[in-house]
Amino acid sequence: MGDPCGIGPEVTLKTVADESLSGAARIVVLGDEQHLRRTARELKLKWAFSSVVDEVPQGRRWERPVLIDMRNVDPGLLPGQISALAGKAAAQCIERATELALAGQVEGIVTAPLHKEALSMAGYTDPGHTEMLARLTSSKKTAMLFWSEELSVSPLTTHLSLREAVAKVRRSRVLAQLRVLDREWTRFFGKKPRIGVAALNPHGGEGSRFGVEEQRDLLPALERARNLGLRVYGPTPADAIFGQARSGQYDVVLTMYHDQATIPVKLLCGLKAVNVTLGLPFVRTSVDHGTAMDIAGKGLASEESMVTATRLAAQLARGPA
Amino acid sequence: MGDPCGIGPEVTLKTVADESLSGAARIVVLGDEQHLRRTARELKLKWAFSSVVDEVPQGRRWERPVLIDMRNVDPGLLPGQISALAGKAAAQCIERATELALAGQVEGIVTAPLHKEALSMAGYTDPGHTEMLARLTSSKKTAMLFWSEELSVSPLTTHLSLREAVAKVRRSRVLAQLRVLDREWTRFFGKKPRIGVAALNPHGGEGSRFGVEEQRDLLPALERARNLGLRVYGPTPADAIFGQARSGQYDVVLTMYHDQATIPVKLLCGLKAVNVTLGLPFVRTSVDHGTAMDIAGKGLASEESMVTATRLAAQLARGPA
């Protein structure tokens, strides 16, 4: 359900009511029943849950979405608030979801947006979902993937200052991420990806004239990856690679920092992009937007990203056809 | 004409032959006659010059393009070569053009691509056109602007490693560039621009959690700019600001580094973007592509960017209607 004060509850309710998902996935929502009922009432949204339960129903008969009531949202919380109570409620949903996934009771997790400041106020030091999930599952090497039909991109680092992100562009990290991308893409989609690698520096550094990372780290990492049998291409200047990817030259682009991935993804795919975490023991997708506190509680939020994220999670959980 | 071994001669000939420009600008090309004639012959391009001259024709009667023969291209040079001789020939065209512009004999300069490595081999330390023009005109503060109907973007720095570019994100530099943008945009387009300012760090730094530059440098620079009467907005996360700009929220976006400008510009505008240098004593536009050595001499190059650059230069030279 995400942060109760953001648009998470609203898009969750709208997604649960989306008939197009009923054949694709059996949905278990982790959230606070009273809070969701109030949201549905105030925004005049359909209540599409078949039941409110404490545990994931066993057996294969249930098809309609169910709600596990977390009973953890303070009724005094209002839309748009940034609060420790809200951050804690959101984090507890993630923790419970992780337990269920590790126990095999669910095959994947779809996350609604949480607010990083609220999370921090609640005492969590994880900068975001992805890091929290990696911690909870003791996953050594995860990778964020923005997936869409038009363009798929994976940034080398995520929630770091650009200064720190630049310092992380090192041979071993690039190689490790290429291997995760190759392994997980093959697992989920059933074929080896062609991976385009974006350069860090303008014009790809122009032969070390504008930066050394391409020569020092990227070229050796790519050569090593090729020797391991990976299909990797680059490094290619960042202002050229996304046009190439869009025209089908690569299946996925590895970028050197967060915004190098999200600028093209947001421009080309908008709400159609899904954030996938690779390297976890289970499937995890996320909406590709934040809590949007400014429009929370107004009924204006689009569920498109969460519907797409849910559909992709179901597809990844089924595995390649 | 640009680097003789790149696509510069080809796109120059095609631009000169473009009838749509004849009413818009009186064109003087600086290039090597023998080299251009050979290019025209080999690629079967029209020779559209009305005459070959040594000086810019005076008086207002001539309308068709003329060529000033620089007599500086070695006939042994071949398409696709990266050579000191070629770099030198290209640089001499720029030097001569600058002299003509400073003397008021031309009102603006349109530059074809040069090859930075060839330029460097020829002993020029300027990383590109823009820096060379700033040096030749002793211009203190220039700014690069990528202009198109759909999106206009100006990067704070250009040909620097990303590591160095990050270190240049300082209050005084941001304020200086905002002032140049405001002044020159007003001069050329006749109205004060609404300037959106992109954040440096992911999610705009999230209140200093991922980087300090937004709080330390950008917010104070924007506040000072507002006090000076500028219409500035931000800092806004880089993965959100270009969508806002495209929908008309700003006239121009100030980005914190080169690729933050060129990734969205190339994706949204392709060859329609024109590179304008602000802060010079004359108008200067440039094609928004490189020498494309891989397709030089093949007749495959599109003149669209140079035609657009020429038309914009003429418009800027006329000034606001």
Side-chain angles (χ1 to χ4, degrees):
Chain A
M1 172 180 111
D3 190 300
C5 301
I7 60 172
E10 176 183 344
V11 298
T12 300
L13 287 166
K14 287 175 171 175
T15 299
V16 162
D18 188 308
E19 301 283 341
S20 78
L21 288 174
S22 60
R26 298 192 298 167
I27 296 172
V28 184
V29 168
L30 302 178
D32 181 275
E33 183 183 2
Q34 291 314 314
H35 187 80
L36 283 167
R37 285 202 185 269
R38 191 178 76 187
T39 305
R41 201 164 54 239
E42 289 177 354
L43 303 181
K44 299 190 171 54
L45 299 175
K46 184 176 168 189
W47 183 262
F49 293 104
S50 64
S51 56
V52 179
V53 295
D54 286 320
E55 300 292 337
V56 177
Q58 297 307 306
R60 303 194 58 83
R61 294 236 13 248
W62 60 281
E63 291 295 339
R64 294 215 12 239
V66 298
L67 170 65
I68 291 187
D69 186 6
M70 297 292 291
R71 297 187 189 87
N72 63 354
V73 175
D74 185 305
L77 285 175
L78 294 172
Q81 265 189 302
I82 297 168
S83 117
L85 287 174
K88 181 158 193 185
Q92 287 172 337
C93 290
I94 303 299
E95 288 165 345
R96 180 73 187 276
T98 305
E99 285 167 24
L100 293 176
L102 287 176
Q105 296 202 40
V106 298
E107 292 168 278
I109 299 177
V110 182
T111 54
L114 46 76
H115 195 280
K116 295 188 177 61
E117 203 176 324
L119 194 66
S120 169
M121 288 162 71
Y124 289 81
T125 56
D126 313 291
H129 272 124
T130 306
E131 295 86 350
M132 187 187 291
L133 289 164
R135 173 175 61 76
L136 292 171
T137 58
S138 307
S139 299
K140 270 192 221 132
K141 175 65 193 164
T142 61
M144 186 186 276
L145 171 72
F146 295 103
W147 179 93
S148 78
E149 290 284 353
E150 191 165 7
L151 178 70
S152 291
V153 184
S154 178
L156 186 65
T157 53
T158 55
H159 299 123
L160 286 179
S161 72
L162 186 56
R163 180 186 298 270
E164 292 169 284
V166 168
K168 300 268 187 199
V169 177
R170 299 311 293 258
R171 199 184 302 196
S172 58
R173 181 180 284 260
V174 171
L175 181 62
Q177 181 129 344
L178 286 171
R179 296 181 74 168
V180 171
L181 268 177
D182 177 71
R183 187 187 73 221
E184 298 281 286
W185 189 280
T186 307
R187 170 156 82 104
F188 286 135
F189 297 106
K191 63 170 197 146
K192 219 168 170 57
R194 294 161 303 159
I195 308 174
V197 178
L200 174 71
N201 293 299
H203 307 196
E206 287 206 359
S208 294
R209 296 188 62 226
F210 316 141
V212 299
E213 290 83 355
E214 284 75 17
Q215 309 290 324
R216 188 191 66 191
D217 297 286
L218 299 188
L219 284 170
L222 267 74
E223 192 186 340
R224 178 92 181 98
R226 267 182 220 111
N227 290 341
L228 292 169
L230 275 66
R231 302 176 68 188
V232 294
Y233 307 88
T236 301
D239 49 16
I241 199 167
F242 302 108
Q244 295 173 352
R246 180 169 48 168
S247 69
Q249 211 166 319
Y250 319 113
D251 296 305
V252 56
V253 174
L254 173 62
T255 74
M256 295 299 110
Y257 50 93
H258 179 277
D259 284 4
Q260 202 183 38
T262 57
I263 291 171
V265 163
K266 296 270 181 181
L267 275 182
L268 293 183
C269 315
L271 291 178
K272 291 190 184 70
V274 180
N275 180 340
V276 184
T277 310
L278 303 178
L280 296 174
F282 45 76
V283 168
R284 184 259 172 158
T285 67
S286 171
V287 295
D288 188 26
H289 57 71
T291 49
M293 292 298 188
D294 52 326
I295 60 162
K298 297 186 180 164
L300 301 172
S302 164
E303 75 276 25
E304 181 177 353
S305 183
M306 183 169 262
V307 169
T308 315
T310 306
R311 192 173 288 119
L312 181 65
Q315 181 192 329
L316 297 181
R318 278 194 305 272
Chain B
M1 174 179 109
D3 189 300
C5 301
I7 60 172
E10 176 183 342
V11 299
T12 301
L13 287 166
K14 287 175 170 174
T15 299
V16 161
D18 187 307
E19 302 283 340
S20 79
L21 289 173
S22 61
R26 297 193 298 167
I27 297 172
V28 184
V29 168
L30 302 178
D32 181 273
E33 184 184 1
Q34 291 314 315
H35 187 81
L36 284 167
R37 285 204 185 267
R38 191 178 74 187
T39 304
R41 203 165 52 238
E42 289 177 354
L43 303 181
K44 300 191 171 52
L45 299 174
K46 184 176 168 188
W47 183 262
F49 293 104
S50 64
S51 56
V52 180
V53 295
D54 287 320
E55 300 292 336
V56 177
Q58 297 306 306
R60 302 193 59 84
R61 294 232 17 245
W62 61 281
E63 291 295 340
R64 295 213 12 238
V66 298
L67 170 65
I68 291 186
D69 186 6
M70 295 292 290
R71 299 187 188 85
N72 64 353
V73 175
D74 184 305
L77 285 175
L78 294 172
Q81 265 190 300
I82 297 168
S83 117
L85 287 173
K88 182 159 191 184
Q92 287 173 337
C93 291
I94 304 298
E95 288 165 345
R96 180 73 187 277
T98 304
E99 286 167 24
L100 293 176
L102 288 176
Q105 296 203 41
V106 299
E107 291 167 279
I109 298 177
V110 183
T111 54
L114 46 76
H115 195 280
K116 295 188 178 62
E117 204 176 322
L119 195 66
S120 169
M121 287 162 72
Y124 288 82
T125 56
D126 313 290
H129 271 124
T130 307
E131 295 85 350
M132 187 187 292
L133 289 163
R135 174 174 61 76
L136 292 171
T137 58
S138 307
S139 298
K140 271 193 220 129
K141 175 65 193 162
T142 61
M144 186 186 276
L145 171 72
F146 295 102
W147 179 93
S148 78
E149 289 285 353
E150 190 163 8
L151 179 69
S152 291
V153 184
S154 179
L156 186 65
T157 53
T158 54
H159 299 124
L160 285 179
S161 72
L162 186 56
R163 180 186 299 269
E164 291 169 283
V166 167
K168 300 268 187 197
V169 177
R170 300 310 293 258
R171 198 184 302 196
S172 58
R173 180 180 283 260
V174 172
L175 182 62
Q177 180 129 344
L178 287 170
R179 296 181 74 169
V180 171
L181 268 178
D182 177 71
R183 186 188 73 221
E184 298 281 287
W185 188 282
T186 307
R187 169 158 81 104
F188 285 135
F189 297 106
K191 63 170 198 147
K192 221 169 169 55
R194 297 161 302 160
I195 307 174
V197 178
L200 174 70
N201 293 300
H203 307 196
E206 286 205 1
S208 293
R209 296 187 62 227
F210 316 141
V212 299
E213 290 83 354
E214 284 76 16
Q215 309 289 323
R216 187 192 68 191
D217 298 284
L218 299 188
L219 285 170
L222 267 75
E223 192 186 342
R224 179 90 182 99
R226 264 182 221 110
N227 290 341
L228 292 169
L230 275 65
R231 303 176 68 188
V232 294
Y233 308 88
T236 301
D239 49 17
I241 199 167
F242 302 107
Q244 295 173 352
R246 179 168 52 168
S247 70
Q249 210 165 318
Y250 319 112
D251 296 305
V252 57
V253 174
L254 173 62
T255 74
M256 294 300 111
Y257 51 93
H258 179 277
D259 283 4
Q260 202 183 38
T262 57
I263 291 172
V265 164
K266 295 271 179 180
L267 274 183
L268 294 182
C269 315
L271 292 178
K272 292 192 184 67
V274 180
N275 179 339
V276 184
T277 310
L278 304 178
L280 296 174
F282 46 76
V283 168
R284 184 260 171 156
T285 67
S286 171
V287 295
D288 187 27
H289 57 71
T291 49
M293 291 299 186
D294 52 326
I295 59 162
K298 298 187 181 164
L300 301 172
S302 164
E303 75 276 24
E304 182 176 353
S305 183
M306 183 169 264
V307 169
T308 316
T310 307
R311 191 173 286 118
L312 181 65
Q315 182 192 327
L316 298 181
R318 281 193 303 273

